[in-house]
């Protein structure tokens, strides 16, 4: 029987990047249909942007990211990053691909890799167009689609849904009414998929 998981994530979240492939593999293995919701940290639910955390916590956060990146086989460039613009607009490419029935996972993967492993400025439309084009997608079409009403409406609705679902940080997975926050919770999600509900 096919199962459905709501997947809340942010292109600008390194944790979303680190856990992305692991979740995609888990979903494929367990015949899970993923419904993606893209947004940013939901501060009204208690989410905190890393830039607003005390330095001691930020230092630990950085060490933990590096540990998990090695576990997941991800290259993560955290130091010596150039000044980059807000990566949030890249979410619109992913939403457009999803709404058009394209490989939104591939689009998200290409953009996240470019931002977190190569420190490319995906906040700039020409940069993200080139990235997804080189990954085998129609970057020009996605660039045109990002301003369309259905894409913009889903972007707005995704944030409301995240807020109303109790989401505050990323990635978050919701299955059968149960919230799993963080890619380190994937083992618990998989157990739930097999009937072990908390």
């Amino acid at each position: 029987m096919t199962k459905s998981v709501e997947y809340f994530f942010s292109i600008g979240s390194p944790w979303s990047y680190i856990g992305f492939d692991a979740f995609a593999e888990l979903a494929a293995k367990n015949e899970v249909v993923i419904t993606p919701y893209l947004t940013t940290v939901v501060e009204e639910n208690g989410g905190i942007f890393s830039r607003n955390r005390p330095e001691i916590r930020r230092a630990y956060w950085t060490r933990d990211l590096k540990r998990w990146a090695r576990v997941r086989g991800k290259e993560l460039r955290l130091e010596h990053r150039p000044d980059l613009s807000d990566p949030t607009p890249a979410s619109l490419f992913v939403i457009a691909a999803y709404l058009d029935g394209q490989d939104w996972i591939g689009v998200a993967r290409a953009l996240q890799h470019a931002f977190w492993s190569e420190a490319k400025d995906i906040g700039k439309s020409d940069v993200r167009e080139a990235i997804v084009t080189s990954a085998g997608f129609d970057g020009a079409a996605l660039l045109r689609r990002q301003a369309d009403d259905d894409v913009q409406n889903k972007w707005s609705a995704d944030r409301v849904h995240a807020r109303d679902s109790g989401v505050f940080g990323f990635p978050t997975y919701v299955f059968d009414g149960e919230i799993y926050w963080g890619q380190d919770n994937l083992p618990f999600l998989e157990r739930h998929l097999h009937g072990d509900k908390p």
Side-chain angles (χ1 to χ4, degrees):
M1 181 179 174
T2 302
K3 305 173 182 73
S4 178
V5 172
E6 293 186 322
Y7 175 46
F8 299 85
F9 72 110
S10 168
I11 297 292
S13 161
W15 291 114
S16 293
Y17 171 55
I18 287 172
F20 192 80
D21 290 335
F23 175 54
E25 290 166 12
L26 181 155
K29 183 174 73 172
N30 292 281
E31 298 182 332
V32 166
V33 173
I34 304 170
T35 304
Y37 296 93
L38 288 101
T39 185
T40 58
V41 171
V42 187
E43 293 181 286
E44 54 266 55
N45 283 352
I48 304 172
F49 283 99
S50 62
R51 63 179 176 268
N52 296 330
R53 294 173 182 158
E55 188 52 42
I56 287 177
R57 186 171 175 191
R58 280 179 53 81
Y60 182 83
W61 176 80
T62 299
R63 293 297 301 157
D64 211 28
L65 279 169
K66 290 179 178 179
R67 293 186 193 111
W68 273 107
R70 291 185 68 176
V71 167
R72 298 293 191 201
K74 296 276 188 166
E75 210 178 313
L76 194 62
R77 184 174 168 188
L78 294 175
E79 284 91 16
H80 311 298
R81 288 173 66 86
D83 288 333
L84 303 175
S85 55
D86 181 6
T88 300
S91 302
L92 301 174
F93 271 35
V94 180
I95 290 172
Y98 171 72
L99 291 177
D100 292 346
Q102 297 182 42
D103 178 16
W104 65 268
I105 290 177
V107 173
R109 180 180 287 123
L111 291 167
Q112 286 181 319
H113 177 80
F115 187 70
W116 288 111
S117 290
E118 301 174 343
K120 290 187 177 178
D121 198 348
I122 63 172
K124 295 181 177 177
S125 58
D126 59 327
V127 173
R128 62 179 175 272
E129 179 185 355
I131 289 165
V132 298
T133 298
S134 66
F137 302 98
D138 189 342
L142 291 174
L143 180 61
R144 288 192 300 272
R145 282 282 283 128
Q146 69 179 7
D148 290 345
D149 286 346
D150 60 337
V151 174
Q152 293 290 327
N153 289 342
K154 177 166 168 52
W155 169 248
S156 299
D158 282 5
R159 177 162 191 83
V160 173
H161 185 55
R163 183 198 65 202
D164 294 349
S165 298
V167 172
F168 48 88
F170 308 109
T172 294
Y173 320 93
V174 178
F175 174 62
D176 192 24
E178 192 73 23
I179 295 176
Y180 297 91
W181 170 48
Q183 59 87 37
D184 53 331
N185 269 263
L186 285 172
F188 300 125
L189 171 61
E190 186 161 32
R191 289 175 66 92
H192 189 170
L193 289 167
H194 288 279
D196 183 13
K197 182 175 181 177

